[in-house]
Amino acid sequence: MRFWLLKSEPDVFGFADLVRVGREPWNGVRNYQARNFLREMREGDLCLFYHSNAKPAGVAGVARVCRAAYADDLQFDPDSQYFDPKSTVEATRWSMVDVEPLIAFPQVVSLDALRGLPEWEGSALTRKGSRLSVLPVEAGAFWATLDAAGLSLDEVAGLG
């Protein structure tokens, strides 16, 4: 199992929205490095759901990959802002995964709080200028984030 961080603006699609819908494709990613990370995801991988462009920005909960990477359908929709006329069914350029919510944090673990955790030192998220919407996360940083959220071992036992 691997660990990931998925960024979304809460006023566009936040963790509460994921809880409400129960399962959602993580589509519309149009950065090749982030796309490659999506393609590495496997069913059962765990994701920190990060609220970006929020006050405070930070991790709001944990989601699980419930379908591994497949072709992002928005790339074929000419009415979508994510349409890619160079992508074909035979040679898709963009991928997505499906995610489902597992646990909401009692409160957001802010970016400032993450920067204070030694397990996050040197991570792409805590470096200035990191803009990727999909990032791999080290196991230690994942578990330290859950601890920072105040979740007990019983609450997180089913995640690992």
Side-chain angles (χ1 to χ4, degrees):
M1 171 179 15
R2 294 193 58 191
F3 301 98
W4 304 93
L5 184 131
L6 301 173
K7 289 184 186 177
S8 183
E9 296 179 10
D11 61 336
V12 175
F13 188 83
F15 193 77
D17 296 308
L18 182 60
V19 169
R20 180 179 45 77
V21 299
R23 178 183 180 138
E24 184 74 6
W26 203 262
N27 55 15
V29 173
R30 294 300 181 265
N31 172 284
Y32 286 107
Q33 188 175 9
R35 183 231 28 214
N36 292 344
F37 290 144
L38 285 172
R39 289 179 175 179
E40 291 178 31
M41 292 180 173
R42 299 294 173 256
E43 193 171 319
D45 285 357
L46 299 179
C47 307
L48 296 172
F49 195 108
Y50 185 90
H51 285 170
S52 62
N53 250 357
K55 292 194 189 282
V59 180
V62 177
R64 178 176 31 222
V65 176
C66 55
R67 182 177 177 188
Y70 61 105
D72 183 335
D73 55 348
L74 297 178
Q75 67 193 310
F76 306 119
D77 180 357
D79 294 328
S80 170
Q81 66 177 339
Y82 300 108
F83 175 64
D84 185 340
K86 294 181 181 176
S87 189
T88 66
V89 174
E90 298 79 24
T92 61
R93 295 176 115 183
W94 306 107
S95 298
M96 63 184 179
V97 299
D98 288 355
V99 295
E100 61 188 359
L102 287 184
I103 190 166
F105 287 180
Q107 62 185 26
V108 169
V109 177
S110 71
L111 178 58
D112 286 340
L114 295 175
R115 285 187 173 129
L117 298 173
E119 295 86 353
W120 280 94
E121 187 177 335
S123 77
L125 178 68
T126 59
R127 284 194 301 265
K128 296 259 187 226
S130 174
R131 303 210 17 99
L132 288 180
S133 61
V134 180
L135 297 167
V137 172
E138 295 294 326
F142 178 87
W143 294 111
T145 304
L146 270 68
D147 187 51
L151 297 175
S152 71
L153 287 176
D154 290 340
E155 291 170 302
V156 298
L159 303 181

